[in-house]
Amino acid sequence: SNAPVIAIDGPSGTGKGTVCGRLAALLGWHLLDSGALYRLVALVAERSGTAGSDEAGLSRLAREMPLEFVKGEGETPIRALLDGEDVTAAIRAESISRLASEVAAHPGVRQALLIRQRAARRPPGLIADGRDMGTVVFPDAPVKLFLTAGPEERARRRYKQLKDKGIGVNLRQLSAELAERDARDSERAISPLKPATDAVVVDTTGIDIETVMQRVLAQVTENI
Ligand code: C5P
């Protein structure tokens, strides 16, 4: 399909997920949480005892895992089902975050998920949330945004997010894990985390979500 795509990339803790959820609700467009796909591969790998280094095994899981996304509510706009089991909360665990970023460095895994991601592009349009939406998956997207924020603020936001979900974490440890994950995502050879040359960079440091939404919406109305 050549339905319009709004590609929103950036590291975690920038408000990306919230922005994407609100945009999808506002416009009535489909929502792709590409990070959830990498997290699902990580979860299946963990459960099946597939090592983070086993590219062939992980690629097969990425191609064959029986997943389904269904509509959720409010702060959880989509729920992830694995063979019918609701794993929406399970894929948010920190152990899965770490394994997801390991899994995501394998070209075979990315290739398998590319097909699933492009299939999400359907009328009336798609909000695509990830790291390489504007650079690799939807390079022809008419709107490309790249959200950033300072590392301390991103760690604080993640901390609050996880705490609100009832997931117990330690701020210092979370900061360290976030930094490690960002480094791995930014330095990998394939599809590294970086803004597309034609992306608009929005620095959200010290800016509340309402103001971020205004800036994002300005880009959307200008280009769609
Ligand atoms: O966005 P989220 O934190 O759920 O993503 C989990 C991990 O999945 C990221 O740290 C990254 O390694 C990987 N990812 C990716 N490409 C995407 C989305 C996520 O490599 N488009």
Side-chain angles (χ1 to χ4, degrees), residues 53-185:
S53 56
D54 177 4
E55 177 164 12
L58 294 168
S59 305
R60 191 172 49 79
L61 294 182
R63 262 194 319 275
E64 298 175 357
M65 59 183 179
L67 64 86
E68 197 190 337
F69 289 108
V70 296
K71 220 175 146 40
E73 271 173 21
E75 293 295 298
T76 312
I78 31 183
R79 309 202 69 88
L81 305 185
L82 194 59
D83 209 5
E85 177 196 349
D86 191 329
V87 293
T88 313
I91 60 172
R92 297 294 143 194
E94 272 305 295
S95 65
I96 296 298
S97 303
R98 191 175 331 115
L99 187 54
S101 102
E102 256 178 80
V103 157
H106 295 299
V109 172
R110 303 202 72 87
Q111 188 57 39
L113 294 185
L114 191 62
I115 300 160
R116 292 188 183 244
Q117 293 173 81
R118 289 196 175 142
R121 183 177 196 169
R122 295 186 310 269
L126 179 70
I127 313 295
D129 172 345
R131 302 287 187 290
D132 61 343
M133 299 297 101
T135 51
V136 176
V137 182
F138 304 110
D140 63 333
V143 179
K144 296 183 187 179
L145 297 166
F146 192 89
L147 304 194
T148 61
E152 282 162 21
E153 181 148 342
R154 294 201 288 111
R156 269 200 308 276
R157 286 179 186 163
R158 277 290 289 173
Y159 178 74
K160 187 175 177 304
Q161 225 173 45
L162 292 172
K163 226 176 125 192
D164 289 349
K165 284 188 180 146
I167 302 173
V169 280
N170 165 294
L171 182 57
R172 272 247 294 284
Q173 192 184 335
L174 185 74
S175 296
E177 281 180 355
L178 209 59
E180 191 192 317
R181 189 146 68 94
D182 286 352
R184 189 168 26 228
D185 290 347

